[in-house]
Amino acid sequence: MKQLDVYSIARCEHSVIIVFLQLILISVFLVCTIYDVQADASETRNSLHYVYGGFKPESNSIYKFYNMFQDVHVMIFVGFGFLMTFMKRYGFSAVGFNFLVAALLVQWAILCNGFYHMDENYKIPISIVSLLKGDVAVATVLISMGAVLGRTSHMQLIFMGLLEIAFFSFNEYIAAKFFIVTDAGDSMFVHAFGAYFGLAVSFVLTRKQKLTDEERSMEASSYMSDMFAMIGTVFLWAFWPSFNSAELEGDAQHRAIINTYLSLTASCVVAYAFSSAFTPHHKFDMVHIQNSTLAGGVSIGTMANLMVQPFGALIIGSMAGVLSVIGYCFITPWVDNKLKVKDTCGVHNLHGMPALLAGAGGALFAFLASEDSYKMGLYQIFPAMASPDLKATDEYPLLEGGLGRTSAQQAGYQLAALGCTLGIAIVSGLFTGLFVSSPLTSGQSRNGAYKDDPCWLIHEHEHPTELPLKVSTVSEHVTDIHPPTIVTTPQI
Amino acid sequence: MKQLDVYSIARCEHSVIIVFLQLILISVFLVCTIYDVQADASETRNSLHYVYGGFKPESNSIYKFYNMFQDVHVMIFVGFGFLMTFMKRYGFSAVGFNFLVAALLVQWAILCNGFYHMDENYKIPISIVSLLKGDVAVATVLISMGAVLGRTSHMQLIFMGLLEIAFFSFNEYIAAKFFIVTDAGDSMFVHAFGAYFGLAVSFVLTRKQKLTDEERSMEASSYMSDMFAMIGTVFLWAFWPSFNSAELEGDAQHRAIINTYLSLTASCVVAYAFSSAFTPHHKFDMVHIQNSTLAGGVSIGTMANLMVQPFGALIIGSMAGVLSVIGYCFITPWVDNKLKVKDTCGVHNLHGMPALLAGAGGALFAFLASEDSYKMGLYQIFPAMASPDLKATDEYPLLEGGLGRTSAQQAGYQLAALGCTLGIAIVSGLFTGLFVSSPLTSGQSRNGAYKDDPCWLIHEHEHPTELPLKVSTVSEHVTDIHPPTIVTTPQI
Amino acid sequence: MKQLDVYSIARCEHSVIIVFLQLILISVFLVCTIYDVQADASETRNSLHYVYGGFKPESNSIYKFYNMFQDVHVMIFVGFGFLMTFMKRYGFSAVGFNFLVAALLVQWAILCNGFYHMDENYKIPISIVSLLKGDVAVATVLISMGAVLGRTSHMQLIFMGLLEIAFFSFNEYIAAKFFIVTDAGDSMFVHAFGAYFGLAVSFVLTRKQKLTDEERSMEASSYMSDMFAMIGTVFLWAFWPSFNSAELEGDAQHRAIINTYLSLTASCVVAYAFSSAFTPHHKFDMVHIQNSTLAGGVSIGTMANLMVQPFGALIIGSMAGVLSVIGYCFITPWVDNKLKVKDTCGVHNLHGMPALLAGAGGALFAFLASEDSYKMGLYQIFPAMASPDLKATDEYPLLEGGLGRTSAQQAGYQLAALGCTLGIAIVSGLFTGLFVSSPLTSGQSRNGAYKDDPCWLIHEHEHPTELPLKVSTVSEHVTDIHPPTIVTTPQI
């Protein structure tokens, strides 16, 4: 009881902290944000006819991005949320914390990204692209959350996310400013960063926590919880092509969608085959089906807009499928036992290793890239490969001078960006782990891991009713079928 | 048994009534509807090249509205349907009645709306916009359904909806003709109307029904039913920006999407904080998470296309989050005990109060609206504020004369529209309540509230198998793990 | 145990076979496929400005088809997947095999369709349309899968699908080349083909399998499994208009969406009415609600783009609703007992008979089609009805010469296409049934029908925990509410 009281006091503080955070965010939005010109009624061009210099209504960026944004939005709140509901008594927390953390952090992510792209008045213009980037940035946190799921309170997740978004935005800024690489599906900046940041946090947490056997037993799934997790899997799988192509256009977007679709089909097929091969009695393991089938979306990410060719996309997806199942069967247990790093959802297998594959593949296909295979489109995908004196022409109005990198140099920069991302992710993850495992925030996490009960109101009548329920329903039923005596049989 | 027989006869009549209603609807469609020109092959302009006066295929309204329509469509049938599945043994009815009621009433809603917009031949042209308006109108009924859920038969819900759609369309017509207000997200015309109409119906029903303790005990949720309800919540939350912006375009649509997205994130965050603050032991209550997180979508509705600024949207969403949780914790119990009005889903907290906030906010921002902040767009959002002698120009081809209202007058009309909506909703709701609680239709509702069994075939083998099932699966399993003796242990 | 070993060896071969199939597919993609010009960076026109002969980025087919494709994609993986999860212990297999089979076969379907549409270099250009056609083709297999669900291993389903896709593509080629009919929603080529092919396979399987009583008992649904199935139903219902209109444009697409939407609402309403009329005690039967409500989408398919008028769409949907419920109540039991053809999901009622209705209706409305009602659009919908000497004009640039069929002839060809489709489906289905029921592949299907356990790893702690779980959760709970003594009450 005592601990519960202490705990509940702590929790009340938590409410205050969350409200306080929201108020700070509102203040920063007040000071720093405005509507983008395309969403701003005070922008004359929005009402002026286009022949007089106004915008065409149909050219508003909302039409270009909104549908892709919605697909990504569903991935973040439905896909990630339900994918994490696989534990038998952690469903409320999985989908619920995903919801809270994402809703709070998209606001913070919009600001963090905006700080690097302010206008001349030091204002952040908010557009549909801001919302899309906010959702994508939050995916990074949700991936890290998968590594520590069930062993962290919602407050620890919020603090982790606030720090992670800041480091994530910094890393993205560095990459955009110095490395100038392509990463259409954000496999490096979102998936690799999120996975290794999360594992670094977990590295610290695992050392500070001792799980009881009863707690460990709760980490398992149940038949129903696995069914709910499949909702997340299929939505993530179906909408992943939108995630990898949301910020592209024209043939690059078309190509990214084809590549991602094909890569996902191959990773799904291969994940099933290896799941059955590596599982006792050659059965399928839901863990692999829920996760490894998605690895192809990560592994093609960096290359999604490159000329990998349809068969190339299938190969990349197949490799990710194998890699991911092997990870679940052999690497994760080893990391858990030897390195003492717990990885609740196996993000290393779904996001970590496939993202490394994506980064390496991106470098390979950058090395293979040439004007021959990309024509002038090469300099839109790899602007740094344009020669410094390249100029826009009537035929190619989008051309501009670059750094004159060779394809080999570009490949090197792709690898450098991956290395830098891993470095920042791991270092900042360790730091964040120390912070969130400090007594200040770690109160709840020891209070029953992998269980909703410490954190969620479970209506008391639920458990009792499991008996009354059966009785009542049978009895009603009985009135038109069996003799009521059945109801009173002791074994029910 | 006897009662069941009586009941079953009644139900057979119900089938006849439903078929009869469908036949009437078919007849009215036969007499009154045609395809809109943009869907009509007999319209020459659809095949004629545009330089000769034909339509451009890409300018067909289907491209402008279909994706928004689909998002709303998912909200109506998936979102509302699963949101209401939170009761432990009422899931079939929640998602099933939502499905039946919505499918029947969209047909009626298309007609009711069309009666006010007939062409010169007294025909109703059917287009994608008709379908969209049909879905939106039905949302009103589904909101009211939330207030009386579990205590009404599907027939009562159908009769309620038939009347409600008629009153809803009348109210919308009045508002469009006399008040000429803005309500982009239909917070007043759909959410306020639906909530207070439903509460008025419930006011009458609660007086005619006495619930047994056993029935009251069935109103609770179970772990699994709460998980299903979360499916509805996240889809409603993710697609709400489409609901609030579906009929807008250009910068107004862009702004409505940004405002709704931000308002929803704030209401989600604040709802979590206050849920934990007001719940025993500071746990989260699924009721708040499933509902109050959505209040920001309602509260921003009327203002979605106005210049509330990003921080303003966050404030409006935060206020809705607080208001909604306070409603569930303090107001609903009071309304239930003192006013004797049951509100099964707490629609007063999710739709009612946030819609009042939206209406008031709409008046405030109408009062603040000026050419300075909206340029000429002001007269598209508030056409009544245009001076009577305003004319379309080359620069601003969409301008037309209005009523020359001042912003203060417009604000007054916004409040008047809200008041009129509440008045019509409550009066027509009380009338409808008396009708649906008349002996004719109320047969089933007394027959076991909050339970699927009276209305749905629950396969008899279900309950029994819960025992055999366990045994069988364990036994198969046992063959490769434990000694089979376990199977026969009495406690299983 | 012994059987399990035999079985497990067989299964390991299965993994090898699946990987082998994926490798073959990769090789064929390597040899036969390229990116479509609109997805190919090496296509100069993609980077060249359009005034110099380049493509406009916004004219890329990805913008026209991607959103429709995504709706269909969700139907295939979420809709079909969850619709089949209705059996109480077959949920993993339903959604899991749907996932595996679809992911593998879309690759094969893209190739099979491509073989009939190769470019001059014998290459298959891959575009968003290829992916869309792949998804649609796979729907055929998933429909057939519904007929044999629970009595086939995943390997049997894969082999069945590989053959079915080949026959499906052949039939489609024949129809396109010789019959030149309209079938906007593929009711004939997908739904009729899939249903009767699946029934033919089941005809053979049913003769080779003897189900035990215990197996038969597993075919039933449970409360939770029916809830999951409703997820599939509502998504299929909501997105069906996209399925029927995905490959159309302009007014034809607009009309197809209106017709499908209205037909679905009517089939939903009528299915509820007849479900209650034909079910004991006039309750609703979830089987009808999950399936017959969708029949309107199938029955309008062939006519979706025709001038059936709104009331006509409602009539066609209503007829499908009646037909489908009657099928479940009277025809399926008869087919099962007399013809000895088991139909697990009742695909004959959801897809088979409604598709026959669609085919017949298509012929009727082809017979009624005239230049009067379609203007020049007639020759885009029925190109074979254009006179041979018809030429493209400035006014009607899309016109081209046809076969000069009369509307009566066109109606005849519509019926001939339906007959040919049924013939090919049944004959190839019988052949496929013999193949998949051969000892080579039939190993697992006898190993516990309608159960996940033989094929899926069910974590052993699941069943045991159902007891400990209850205790533990109650106890935690108890600590803050009841005296702990409750925990030890024997009946829990």
Side-chain angles (χ1 to χ4, degrees):
Chain A
M1 283 306 282
K2 194 159 179 330
Q3 184 188 25
L4 249 172
D5 289 351
V6 175
Y7 164 55
S8 62
I9 291 154
R11 285 295 304 289
C12 199
E13 283 166 9
H14 291 178
S15 298
V16 176
I17 295 167
I18 293 173
V19 172
F20 182 67
L21 287 170
Q22 183 60 71
L23 291 174
I24 292 174
L25 286 163
I26 290 171
S27 319
V28 182
F29 268 83
L30 165 58
V31 176
C32 303
T33 68
I34 55 170
Y35 291 119
D36 180 81
V37 288
Q38 296 203 305
D40 184 357
S42 68
E43 166 57 58
T44 314
R45 285 174 292 175
N46 281 315
S47 38
L48 190 62
H49 191 280
Y50 70 91
V51 298
Y52 296 88
F55 297 134
K56 291 183 179 176
E58 65 269 25
S59 71
N60 195 299
S61 60
I62 199 73
Y63 301 114
K64 181 167 180 306
F65 289 105
Y66 187 62
N67 293 310
M68 288 294 184
F69 162 75
Q70 272 298 5
D71 292 351
V72 173
H73 209 41
V74 169
M75 290 173 74
I76 299 299
F77 289 89
V78 180
F80 278 100
F82 280 93
L83 181 61
M84 294 194 280
T85 60
F86 67 94
M87 282 183 281
K88 59 177 177 270
R89 296 297 289 186
Y90 204 66
F92 289 4
S93 304
V95 69
F97 291 169
N98 181 87
F99 194 15
L100 168 61
V101 166
L104 179 63
L105 293 177
V106 285
Q107 301 174 38
W108 176 231
I110 289 169
L111 293 174
C112 288
N113 178 271
F115 291 143
Y116 296 105
H117 305 88
M118 287 178 146
D119 68 9
E120 58 284 352
N121 312 318
Y122 302 104
K123 294 288 189 184
I124 300 168
I126 306 294
S127 71
I128 181 67
V129 177
S130 318
L131 310 188
L132 175 59
K133 286 177 179 294
D135 274 21
V136 170
V138 161
T140 318
V141 178
L142 301 179
I143 290 164
S144 306
M145 177 176 159
V148 297
L149 191 71
R151 294 169 288 123
T152 42
S153 70
H154 60 287
M155 292 312 294
Q156 287 177 296
L157 293 171
I158 287 171
F159 287 122
M160 180 187 86
L162 289 169
L163 291 167
E164 181 168 6
I165 292 286
F167 293 119
F168 163 85
S169 304
F170 174 71
N171 179 61
E172 215 176 33
Y173 170 75
I174 298 285
K177 194 162 178 58
F178 300 109
F179 296 116
I180 315 171
V181 293
T182 188
D183 189 18
D186 284 314
S187 295
M188 299 193 287
F189 303 138
V190 167
H191 295 285
F193 190 99
Y196 289 99
F197 182 98
L199 291 167
V201 172
S202 186
F203 179 90
V204 179
L205 286 181
T206 315
R207 271 147 191 75
K208 301 246 183 166
Q209 300 179 328
K210 287 280 154 287
L211 296 177
T212 66
D213 292 352
E214 194 269 350
E215 286 177 317
R216 243 180 246 96
S217 76
M218 296 305 295
E219 194 178 351
S221 68
S222 75
Y223 193 78
M224 284 300 159
S225 66
D226 271 328
M227 287 298 295
F228 278 107
M230 282 305 290
I231 297 172
T233 298
V234 285
F235 273 103
L236 285 170
W237 197 89
F239 286 138
W240 211 294
S242 302
F243 188 91
N244 284 1
S245 68
E247 297 188 48
L248 304 170
E249 69 178 342
D251 64 296
Q253 187 172 45
H254 201 149
R255 199 160 52 243
I257 286 165
I258 292 169
N259 289 338
T260 307
Y261 174 97
L262 291 174
S263 181
L264 282 163
T265 58
S267 65
C268 175
V269 170
V270 171
Y272 270 87
F274 280 79
S275 177
S276 149
F278 293 157
T279 304
H281 305 293
H282 301 303
K283 297 183 174 193
F284 294 119
D285 185 338
M286 263 291 174
V287 173
H288 309 145
I289 305 312
Q290 287 161 8
N291 296 281
S292 302
T293 51
L294 300 167
V298 178
S299 65
I300 197 72
T302 307
M303 296 162 276
N305 56 338
L306 304 184
M307 293 290 285
V308 299
Q309 297 300 340
F311 79 93
L314 290 172
I315 290 172
I316 292 155
S318 304
M319 291 167 65
V322 187
L323 198 61
S324 183
V325 175
I326 289 175
Y328 278 104
C329 296
F330 306 110
I331 300 174
T332 295
W334 181 79
V335 170
D336 189 348
N337 299 330
K338 294 279 166 301
L339 304 189
K340 297 268 174 283
V341 179
K342 283 196 71 65
D343 180 2
T344 311
C345 300
V347 298
H348 186 241
N349 312 311
L350 167 49
H351 301 278
M353 292 189 295
L356 298 184
L357 176 60
L364 171 64
F365 281 93
F367 179 74
L368 299 174
S370 69
E371 260 194 41
D372 187 51
S373 52
Y374 291 84
K375 299 293 179 296
M376 288 298 145
L378 181 66
Y379 306 117
Q380 277 144 52
I381 294 173
F382 298 109
M385 288 176 69
S387 71
D389 51 8
L390 195 67
K391 295 256 167 306
T393 66
D394 293 352
E395 289 87 343
Y396 302 103
L398 300 175
L399 289 184
E400 56 187 36
L403 306 173
R405 285 185 194 161
T406 65
S407 61
Q409 289 170 318
Q410 181 63 37
Y413 277 97
Q414 294 280 145
L415 291 176
L418 178 60
C420 167
T421 298
L422 293 176
I424 292 177
I426 291 167
V427 172
S428 61
L430 290 170
F431 166 78
T432 304
L434 288 168
F435 178 76
V436 299
S437 61
S438 65
L440 169 67
T441 59
S442 64
Q444 184 263 345
S445 65
R446 296 294 312 108
N447 201 313
Y450 309 120
K451 285 208 303 274
D452 286 330
D453 307 65
C455 220
W456 295 84
L457 191 68
I458 312 282
H459 299 289
E460 67 266 28
H461 36 253
E462 179 186 2
H463 312 305
T465 46
E466 290 186 8
L467 194 62
L469 179 59
K470 224 170 286 161
V471 174
S472 66
T473 47
V474 171
S475 61
E476 282 140 24
H477 195 71
V478 161
T479 57
D480 33 291
I481 289 131
H482 326 286
T485 55
I486 278 179
V487 181
T488 62
T489 52
Q491 60 269 43
I492 292 179
Chain B
M1 283 307 282
K2 193 163 181 328
Q3 185 188 25
L4 249 171
D5 289 351
V6 174
Y7 165 55
S8 63
I9 291 152
R11 285 296 303 292
C12 199
E13 284 167 10
H14 291 178
S15 298
V16 177
I17 295 167
I18 293 173
V19 172
F20 182 66
L21 287 170
Q22 183 61 70
L23 291 175
I24 291 174
L25 286 164
I26 290 171
S27 318
V28 182
F29 268 84
L30 165 58
V31 176
C32 303
T33 67
I34 53 170
Y35 290 120
D36 180 81
V37 287
Q38 296 204 303
D40 183 356
S42 69
E43 166 57 59
T44 313
R45 287 173 292 176
N46 281 315
S47 38
L48 189 63
H49 191 278
Y50 71 91
V51 298
Y52 296 88
F55 297 135
K56 291 183 180 177
E58 65 269 26
S59 72
N60 196 299
S61 60
I62 199 73
Y63 301 116
K64 181 167 179 309
F65 290 104
Y66 187 62
N67 293 309
M68 288 294 183
F69 161 75
Q70 272 298 2
D71 292 351
V72 173
H73 208 42
V74 169
M75 290 174 74
I76 299 298
F77 289 90
V78 180
F80 278 99
F82 279 94
L83 181 62
M84 293 193 282
T85 60
F86 66 94
M87 283 182 281
K88 58 177 179 269
R89 295 297 289 185
Y90 204 65
F92 289 5
S93 303
V95 70
F97 291 169
N98 180 89
F99 193 16
L100 168 62
V101 166
L104 180 63
L105 292 177
V106 285
Q107 301 174 39
W108 177 230
I110 288 169
L111 294 173
C112 288
N113 178 272
F115 291 142
Y116 296 105
H117 305 87
M118 287 178 146
D119 68 11
E120 58 283 352
N121 312 319
Y122 303 102
K123 294 287 189 183
I124 300 168
I126 306 294
S127 71
I128 182 68
V129 177
S130 318
L131 310 188
L132 175 59
K133 284 179 181 293
D135 274 20
V136 170
V138 161
T140 318
V141 178
L142 300 180
I143 290 164
S144 305
M145 177 175 160
V148 297
L149 191 71
R151 293 168 288 123
T152 42
S153 70
H154 60 288
M155 292 311 295
Q156 287 177 296
L157 293 172
I158 287 171
F159 288 122
M160 180 187 84
L162 289 169
L163 290 168
E164 182 169 8
I165 293 283
F167 293 119
F168 163 86
S169 304
F170 174 71
N171 179 61
E172 216 177 32
Y173 170 75
I174 299 285
K177 195 160 176 60
F178 302 109
F179 296 115
I180 315 171
V181 293
T182 189
D183 190 16
D186 283 314
S187 294
M188 297 192 289
F189 303 138
V190 168
H191 294 285
F193 190 99
Y196 289 99
F197 182 98
L199 291 167
V201 172
S202 187
F203 178 89
V204 179
L205 286 182
T206 314
R207 270 146 192 74
K208 303 248 185 163
Q209 299 180 330
K210 288 280 154 287
L211 296 177
T212 66
D213 292 352
E214 195 267 349
E215 286 178 317
R216 244 181 244 94
S217 76
M218 297 305 295
E219 194 177 349
S221 68
S222 75
Y223 194 77
M224 284 300 159
S225 65
D226 271 327
M227 287 297 295
F228 279 107
M230 281 305 289
I231 297 172
T233 299
V234 286
F235 273 104
L236 285 170
W237 196 89
F239 286 139
W240 210 296
S242 303
F243 189 91
N244 284 0
S245 69
E247 298 188 49
L248 304 171
E249 70 178 339
D251 65 296
Q253 188 171 44
H254 201 147
R255 199 161 53 245
I257 286 164
I258 292 168
N259 289 337
T260 307
Y261 173 98
L262 291 174
S263 180
L264 282 164
T265 57
S267 65
C268 175
V269 170
V270 171
Y272 270 86
F274 281 78
S275 177
S276 147
F278 292 157
T279 304
H281 305 293
H282 301 303
K283 297 182 174 194
F284 294 119
D285 185 337
M286 262 292 175
V287 173
H288 309 145
I289 305 313
Q290 286 161 9
N291 296 281
S292 303
T293 52
L294 299 166
V298 178
S299 65
I300 196 73
T302 307
M303 296 162 276
N305 56 338
L306 303 185
M307 293 290 286
V308 299
Q309 296 301 339
F311 79 93
L314 290 172
I315 291 172
I316 293 156
S318 304
M319 290 166 65
V322 187
L323 199 61
S324 183
V325 175
I326 289 174
Y328 277 105
C329 296
F330 306 110
I331 299 173
T332 294
W334 181 81
V335 170
D336 189 348
N337 299 328
K338 294 280 168 299
L339 304 189
K340 298 268 175 281
V341 179
K342 285 195 71 64
D343 181 2
T344 311
C345 300
V347 297
H348 186 241
N349 312 311
L350 168 49
H351 302 278
M353 292 189 296
L356 298 183
L357 176 60
L364 171 63
F365 281 93
F367 179 73
L368 299 174
S370 69
E371 259 194 42
D372 187 50
S373 52
Y374 291 84
K375 300 292 180 296
M376 288 298 145
L378 181 66
Y379 306 117
Q380 277 145 52
I381 293 174
F382 298 108
M385 287 176 70
S387 72
D389 50 9
L390 195 67
K391 297 253 166 307
T393 65
D394 292 352
E395 289 87 342
Y396 302 102
L398 300 176
L399 288 184
E400 58 186 34
L403 306 173
R405 284 185 194 162
T406 66
S407 59
Q409 289 171 317
Q410 181 63 37
Y413 277 97
Q414 294 281 144
L415 291 175
L418 177 60
C420 168
T421 297
L422 293 177
I424 292 178
I426 291 168
V427 172
S428 60
L430 290 170
F431 166 78
T432 304
L434 288 169
F435 178 75
V436 298
S437 61
S438 65
L440 168 65
T441 58
S442 64
Q444 185 263 347
S445 64
R446 297 296 312 107
N447 201 313
Y450 310 121
K451 286 206 304 273
D452 286 330
D453 308 65
C455 220
W456 295 83
L457 191 69
I458 312 281
H459 298 291
E460 68 266 26
H461 36 255
E462 178 185 5
H463 311 303
T465 46
E466 291 186 8
L467 194 61
L469 179 60
K470 222 170 289 164
V471 174
S472 66
T473 47
V474 170
S475 61
E476 281 141 24
H477 193 72
V478 160
T479 56
D480 34 290
I481 287 130
H482 323 287
T485 56
I486 277 178
V487 181
T488 62
T489 52
Q491 61 269 38
I492 291 180
Chain C
M1 284 304 284
K2 193 159 180 327
Q3 185 186 22
L4 246 172
D5 288 351
V6 174
Y7 165 55
S8 64
I9 290 153
R11 285 297 303 289
C12 198
E13 284 167 9
H14 290 178
S15 298
V16 177
I17 295 167
I18 293 173
V19 172
F20 181 67
L21 287 171
Q22 182 61 70
L23 291 175
I24 291 174
L25 285 164
I26 291 172
S27 319
V28 181
F29 268 84
L30 165 58
V31 176
C32 302
T33 67
I34 54 171
Y35 290 120
D36 179 81
V37 287
Q38 297 203 305
D40 183 357
S42 69
E43 167 57 58
T44 313
R45 287 173 292 175
N46 281 315
S47 37
L48 190 63
H49 191 279
Y50 70 91
V51 298
Y52 296 87
F55 297 134
K56 291 183 180 176
E58 64 269 26
S59 71
N60 196 298
S61 60
I62 200 72
Y63 300 114
K64 181 168 180 307
F65 289 105
Y66 187 62
N67 294 309
M68 288 292 185
F69 161 75
Q70 272 298 2
D71 292 351
V72 173
H73 208 40
V74 168
M75 290 173 75
I76 298 298
F77 290 90
V78 179
F80 278 100
F82 279 94
L83 180 62
M84 294 194 281
T85 61
F86 67 94
M87 282 183 281
K88 59 178 179 273
R89 295 298 289 186
Y90 204 65
F92 289 4
S93 303
V95 68
F97 291 170
N98 180 88
F99 194 16
L100 168 62
V101 166
L104 179 64
L105 292 177
V106 286
Q107 301 174 40
W108 176 230
I110 289 169
L111 294 174
C112 288
N113 178 271
F115 291 142
Y116 296 105
H117 305 88
M118 287 178 147
D119 67 10
E120 58 283 354
N121 311 319
Y122 302 104
K123 295 286 188 183
I124 301 168
I126 306 294
S127 72
I128 181 67
V129 177
S130 318
L131 310 188
L132 175 59
K133 285 178 179 293
D135 274 21
V136 170
V138 161
T140 318
V141 178
L142 300 179
I143 290 165
S144 305
M145 177 175 159
V148 297
L149 191 71
R151 294 169 286 122
T152 43
S153 69
H154 60 287
M155 292 311 296
Q156 287 177 296
L157 293 171
I158 288 171
F159 287 122
M160 180 187 85
L162 289 169
L163 290 167
E164 182 169 8
I165 292 285
F167 293 119
F168 163 85
S169 304
F170 174 72
N171 179 60
E172 216 177 32
Y173 171 75
I174 299 284
K177 194 161 176 60
F178 301 108
F179 296 114
I180 315 173
V181 293
T182 189
D183 190 17
D186 284 315
S187 294
M188 298 193 289
F189 303 138
V190 168
H191 294 285
F193 190 100
Y196 289 99
F197 182 97
L199 291 167
V201 173
S202 186
F203 179 89
V204 179
L205 286 181
T206 313
R207 272 146 190 74
K208 302 248 186 167
Q209 299 180 331
K210 288 280 155 287
L211 295 177
T212 66
D213 292 352
E214 194 269 350
E215 285 178 319
R216 243 180 244 94
S217 76
M218 297 304 295
E219 194 177 350
S221 68
S222 75
Y223 194 78
M224 285 300 159
S225 65
D226 271 328
M227 287 297 296
F228 279 107
M230 282 305 290
I231 297 172
T233 298
V234 286
F235 274 104
L236 285 170
W237 196 89
F239 286 138
W240 210 294
S242 303
F243 188 92
N244 283 0
S245 68
E247 297 187 49
L248 304 171
E249 71 177 341
D251 65 295
Q253 187 173 44
H254 201 147
R255 200 160 51 244
I257 286 164
I258 292 168
N259 289 338
T260 307
Y261 173 98
L262 290 175
S263 180
L264 282 164
T265 58
S267 64
C268 175
V269 170
V270 171
Y272 270 87
F274 280 79
S275 177
S276 148
F278 292 158
T279 304
H281 305 295
H282 300 302
K283 298 183 174 194
F284 294 118
D285 185 338
M286 263 292 175
V287 173
H288 309 145
I289 306 314
Q290 286 160 9
N291 296 281
S292 302
T293 52
L294 299 167
V298 178
S299 65
I300 196 72
T302 306
M303 295 161 276
N305 56 337
L306 302 185
M307 294 291 286
V308 298
Q309 296 301 340
F311 80 93
L314 290 172
I315 291 173
I316 292 157
S318 303
M319 289 167 66
V322 187
L323 199 62
S324 184
V325 174
I326 289 175
Y328 277 104
C329 295
F330 306 110
I331 299 173
T332 294
W334 180 80
V335 170
D336 188 348
N337 299 330
K338 293 281 169 299
L339 305 188
K340 299 269 176 280
V341 179
K342 283 195 74 60
D343 181 1
T344 311
C345 299
V347 297
H348 186 241
N349 312 310
L350 167 49
H351 301 279
M353 292 188 296
L356 298 183
L357 177 60
L364 172 63
F365 281 94
F367 178 72
L368 299 173
S370 70
E371 260 195 39
D372 187 51
S373 53
Y374 291 85
K375 300 291 179 296
M376 288 299 146
L378 182 65
Y379 306 117
Q380 276 144 53
I381 294 174
F382 298 109
M385 287 176 69
S387 72
D389 51 9
L390 195 68
K391 297 254 168 305
T393 66
D394 292 351
E395 290 87 344
Y396 301 103
L398 300 175
L399 288 184
E400 56 188 36
L403 306 173
R405 284 184 194 161
T406 65
S407 60
Q409 289 171 318
Q410 181 64 37
Y413 277 98
Q414 295 280 145
L415 291 175
L418 178 59
C420 167
T421 298
L422 293 177
I424 292 177
I426 291 168
V427 172
S428 61
L430 290 171
F431 167 78
T432 304
L434 288 168
F435 178 76
V436 297
S437 62
S438 66
L440 169 66
T441 59
S442 64
Q444 183 263 347
S445 66
R446 297 295 313 109
N447 201 313
Y450 310 121
K451 286 207 305 271
D452 285 331
D453 308 66
C455 220
W456 294 84
L457 190 69
I458 312 282
H459 299 290
E460 69 264 29
H461 36 254
E462 181 187 1
H463 311 304
T465 46
E466 288 185 9
L467 194 63
L469 179 60
K470 227 168 286 165
V471 174
S472 66
T473 48
V474 171
S475 60
E476 282 140 24
H477 195 76
V478 160
T479 56
D480 34 290
I481 289 136
H482 324 287
T485 55
I486 276 177
V487 182
T488 61
T489 52
Q491 61 269 40
I492 292 180

